[in-house]
Amino acid sequence: MIKPLLAALGLALVSASALAAPEDILKKSGCLMCHQVDKKVVGPSYKEVAAKYKGKKVEAQLFDKVRKGGGGVWGPVPMIPHTPQQISDADLKTVIAWVLKQ
């Protein structure tokens, strides 16, 4: 009796995370401190990222870049690594898909 209830609760929590609006995830994760949709801040705008990678399968590459950080692609300021504690794998995948549609 308890196991099905816990399983249902877990599914509800996963579903709620999957339904989170990308903009809310970006805000909660601190991404908007360095990036904006349509203007360069510290890092490129999301529209610049989408334009650069239009038509390319780069989701895994961008996921890795966010996790490990790095520099040299968009200028001299490197992006710091972002851990799963800062943004979950599911949320990061949601955000990357959203960014690439800008």
Side-chain angles (χ1 to χ4, degrees), residues 22-23 37 45-56 58-59 62 93-102:
E23 297 91 338
V37 173
S45 73
Y46 294 130
K47 288 187 179 202
E48 289 175 299
V49 174
K52 179 179 182 83
Y53 297 115
K54 185 175 182 166
K56 299 178 182 173
V58 295
E59 292 84 357
L62 294 177
K93 288 176 183 177
T94 296
V95 165
I96 289 170
W98 180 85
V99 166
L100 291 173
K101 291 178 184 176
Q102 296 310 299

Side-chain angles (χ1 to χ4, degrees), residues 35-93:
H35 300 278
Q36 294 291 309
V37 173
D38 57 0
K39 67 179 179 180
K40 179 177 174 53
V41 183
V42 175
S45 73
Y46 294 130
K47 288 187 179 202
E48 289 175 299
V49 174
K52 179 179 182 83
Y53 297 115
K54 185 175 182 166
K56 299 178 182 173
K57 293 287 292 172
V58 295
E59 292 84 357
Q61 176 186 345
L62 294 177
F63 186 95
D64 195 48
K65 176 67 93 172
V66 173
R67 282 288 180 245
K68 294 180 180 176
V73 176
W74 296 97
V77 179
M79 183 170 73
I80 61 169
H82 293 77
T83 67
Q85 290 76 27
Q86 293 168 296
I87 183 169
S88 71
D89 287 352
D91 283 351
L92 181 53
K93 288 176 183 177

Side-chain angles (χ1 to χ4, degrees), residues 1-17:
M1 175 101 179
I2 298 277
K3 284 185 180 181
L5 182 59
L6 291 174
L9 180 59
L11 182 59
L13 291 174
V14 169
S15 297
S17 177

